[in-house]
Amino acid sequence: MVKVALIGCGTMGRTHLAGYKKIENAQVTAVCDLEKEKAEKLVESGETGIYTDFDTMMEQAEFDVLDVCLPTYLHKQYAVKAMEAGKHVFCEKPIALTEEDAREMVETAKRCGVKFSVGHVLRFFPSYKNAAEQFADGRMGIPRLIRTIRNQAFPQWSWEGWYKDYEKSGGPIVDLVIHDFDWIIHNFGSVERVFAKSFNGTIKEQEHCMVILKLKNGAIAHVEGSWAYPAGSAFRMAFEVVGTEGQIEFDNLDSSPVIKQTNVDGIHHLDRYSPVPGKKEPYCAELNEFITCVEQDLPPVVTGEEAIEALRTALAALESSRTGKPVTL
């Protein structure tokens, strides 16, 4: 049994805890959040300790893995502390806000001999995974053109509004479309040059970005991401990959059989999704993979080095958007 401590009991903390409940060989033994009420809402059993102080949890709780679901600017601080105490670490994406911090996290994991992985969950979505596999086995020929979309309303629910502070979140280029950067790089090749446009944080609580990636193999990728949609809008993610022998496309708003409408604080929410059972649910699948790699001493599917490559692409896109010039990696 792999014992897990979870720090950060917000949206992703709740999502991860739900995933661990489906994994037979994982047990969440401790949760930690500055707001005790958030932690208490997650815990259903007295077997799970509740903490509001990380150092106290480190001293008192028994666990093998720290799952970091904190705001991005806090990732390195807590991940490194846990690694130096001999704990394996699973960290939500993006790995960090700077390449320097990200490399320190990767090097600390190596030095301390612990497992480390980052939550680039898009690789575990069946539609994205299947498309990549069909190009990998040659059925679609050589990929030439990739388009991705990831659009939503501004995330108002963030703790202390940290998404609004781009020095803490990096905006949608670093926080949102980094999902697509990782998927593209992992499956279709490394990036040579980046050109991007965005509002650069000039419009309060709205942002939209368009990023063009030229891959080293000659393929072109067009990545769109948005926090500019009206509150309560349905989240949209889509892709189109064109190869020399065929084309694959997906749009969750066209292909999701379940439609859920709710009203939260007077705001109408429309959610469309395709339910995936048990451990095949993407967030559960990525966590199950990491638990297996810890238990069986295997390399993680998503490595820290790969997370750095996605971050480097995002930071290059930020620079390009601010300067109006392409950036070569």
Side-chain angles (χ1 to χ4, degrees), residues 288-299:
N288 184 52
E289 181 279 325
F290 188 67
I291 293 298
T292 300
C293 97
V294 168
E295 197 169 50
Q296 300 182 15
D297 192 23
L298 300 171

Side-chain angles (χ1 to χ4, degrees), residues 66-86:
L66 179 71
D67 187 325
V68 181
C69 290
L70 295 169
T72 307
Y73 66 97
L74 297 172
H75 286 180
K76 188 198 80 168
Q77 175 184 347
Y78 291 94
V80 167
K81 271 190 177 183
M83 292 172 186
E84 290 179 337

Side-chain angles (χ1 to χ4, degrees), residues 30-195:
V31 296
C32 182
D33 196 285
L34 287 175
E35 299 178 11
K36 189 177 181 180
E37 303 77 26
K38 283 186 178 180
E40 289 175 335
K41 287 181 181 179
L42 292 188
V43 174
E44 298 175 352
S45 168
E47 296 178 0
T48 304
I50 297 174
Y51 299 88
T52 57
D53 179 74
F54 176 74
D55 291 330
T56 302
M57 183 178 74
M58 289 289 292
E59 292 173 6
Q60 298 181 0
E62 183 181 347
F63 63 96
D64 311 296
V65 171
L66 179 71
D67 187 325
V68 181
C69 290
L70 295 169
T72 307
Y73 66 97
L74 297 172
H75 286 180
K76 188 198 80 168
Q77 175 184 347
Y78 291 94
V80 167
K81 271 190 177 183
M83 292 172 186
E84 290 179 337
K87 309 296 184 183
H88 307 288
V89 172
F90 184 90
C91 182
E92 253 307 320
K93 62 80 212 164
I95 182 174
L97 285 175
T98 68
E99 186 177 346
E100 180 183 8
D101 283 354
R103 293 200 180 279
E104 182 177 345
M105 293 163 75
V106 170
E107 292 304 317
T108 301
K110 290 179 180 178
R111 173 169 52 83
C112 296
V114 297
K115 305 292 184 184
F116 175 53
S117 187
V118 179
H120 283 294
V121 71
L122 203 61
R123 299 192 198 181
F124 296 86
F125 275 77
S127 51
Y128 286 78
K129 186 176 181 180
N130 177 264
E133 288 171 349
Q134 292 196 54
F135 274 93
D137 66 18
R139 277 179 278 174
M140 297 292 110
I142 301 170
R144 297 297 192 197
L145 171 64
I146 305 154
R147 294 191 182 97
T148 66
I149 295 172
R150 189 164 303 275
N151 293 341
Q152 65 176 79
F154 189 88
Q156 299 280 359
W157 42 262
S158 62
W159 177 70
E160 293 189 340
W162 67 275
Y163 279 120
K164 300 177 186 179
D165 185 347
Y166 283 22
E167 295 300 316
K168 293 181 177 179
S169 72
I173 289 178
V174 175
D175 187 83
L176 188 63
V177 296
I178 199 165
H179 278 299
D180 303 287
F181 294 156
D182 173 74
W183 182 69
I184 290 167
I185 294 167
H186 178 70
N187 293 294
F188 302 107
S190 56
V191 176
E192 179 179 283
R193 190 164 66 247
V194 179
F195 182 70

Side-chain angles (χ1 to χ4, degrees), residues 190-248:
S190 56
V191 176
E192 179 179 283
R193 190 164 66 247
V194 179
F195 182 70
K197 289 290 186 180
S198 77
F199 296 148
N200 294 314
T202 58
I203 301 178
K204 186 178 180 181
E205 296 185 12
Q206 282 192 308
E207 180 61 281
H208 187 88
C209 65
M210 294 180 289
V211 184
I212 304 295
L213 308 177
K214 181 182 179 184
L215 307 190
K216 290 182 179 179
N217 59 21
I220 297 292
H222 177 283
V223 178
E224 176 185 325
S226 191
W227 282 346
Y229 282 63
S233 296
F235 173 71
R236 183 188 181 198
M237 62 180 188
F239 68 77
E240 176 186 14
V241 186
V242 180
T244 54
E245 302 295 330
Q247 172 182 340
I248 300 178

